Amino acid sequence: MEETLEKILTAYRKDEGNIISILQDIQETFGYIPEDAVNWFSKKLDIPASRFFSIATFYAQFHLKQRGRNIITACCGTACHVKGSDRLISGLRKKINLPDGEDTTDDREFTIERVACVGTCSMAPVVIINKNVHGKTTADKLMKEIKKLKGKKSEA
Ligand code: FES
């Protein structure tokens, strides 16, 4: 890890970057922001770790926990809620064995995120799977997509 962090630090110093660019580089490298990486930069740059964490928690783009290989973003805005998004999500959570209070499966295969309106209300309920938008989603359609993703894993 140290060698990777040194590379980010060198780029940061060369480009006179800021904390946000460090956090972006860390996340791009590891898929999330490990606490150890923040503490490492905090010591190297003599910047309190709390400054890194306050920025990381302010911006939704940063993730402090490891995420799954497949990101399922469920819209929970009003239109999607009315069209049954809650039922859809709880069914999905059961199907992928995601315990209450968790957003990523133990095998790190899936992460489910809930967001407010994604701006395509006429297609409610909307679920975004790995950046692909699925409108007028039903439990069956959703399960087919999940099966495809699980199939890709077993092919790999
Ligand atoms: S409420 Fe879901 S897209 Fe608008």
Side-chain angles (χ1 to χ4, degrees), residues 65-73 89 92-99 102-113 127-130 142-154:
K65 283 167 60 178
Q66 250 184 313
R67 301 167 84 214
R69 281 174 283 282
N70 299 291
I71 308 296
I72 300 167
T73 307
I89 297 162
L92 175 62
R93 292 181 69 90
K94 273 188 200 144
K95 202 77 183 172
I96 62 174
N97 297 319
L98 188 57
E102 295 297 326
D103 52 12
T104 300
T105 54
D106 286 343
D107 61 2
R108 303 229 178 278
E109 199 55 37
F110 298 100
T111 290
I112 297 182
E113 300 175 331
V127 175
I128 302 170
I129 303 174
N130 296 332
L142 194 52
M143 291 318 148
K144 272 186 194 156
E145 292 302 320
I146 297 304
K147 263 190 183 165
K148 277 192 223 167
L149 294 171
K150 284 184 173 177
K152 277 184 188 170
K153 184 191 175 193
S154 57

Side-chain angles (χ1 to χ4, degrees), residues 9-22:
L9 183 63
T10 305
Y12 166 83
R13 286 194 169 131
K14 205 168 96 192
D15 298 338
E16 293 177 13
N18 56 30
I19 291 177
I20 290 178
S21 31
I22 290 180

Side-chain angles (χ1 to χ4, degrees), residues 43-144:
K43 273 189 196 140
K44 286 276 181 186
L45 297 168
D46 197 24
I47 296 172
S50 59
R51 280 205 34 217
F52 287 90
F53 286 119
S54 66
I55 291 170
T57 51
F58 181 78
Y59 292 102
Q61 65 171 300
F62 295 123
H63 306 284
L64 295 172
K65 283 167 60 178
Q66 250 184 313
R67 301 167 84 214
R69 281 174 283 282
N70 299 291
I71 308 296
I72 300 167
T73 307
C75 180
C76 297
T78 306
C80 288
H81 176 76
V82 168
K83 294 279 187 169
S85 60
D86 280 349
R87 213 173 330 111
L88 215 53
I89 297 162
S90 41
L92 175 62
R93 292 181 69 90
K94 273 188 200 144
K95 202 77 183 172
I96 62 174
N97 297 319
L98 188 57
D100 285 343
E102 295 297 326
D103 52 12
T104 300
T105 54
D106 286 343
D107 61 2
R108 303 229 178 278
E109 199 55 37
F110 298 100
T111 290
I112 297 182
E113 300 175 331
R114 298 169 74 104
V115 293
C117 179
V118 295
T120 54
C121 303
S122 63
M123 296 165 64
V126 177
V127 175
I128 302 170
I129 303 174
N130 296 332
K131 298 185 181 166
N132 295 313
V133 178
H134 297 265
K136 298 190 187 294
T137 312
T138 63
D140 284 349
K141 283 185 194 173
L142 194 52
M143 291 318 148
K144 272 186 194 156

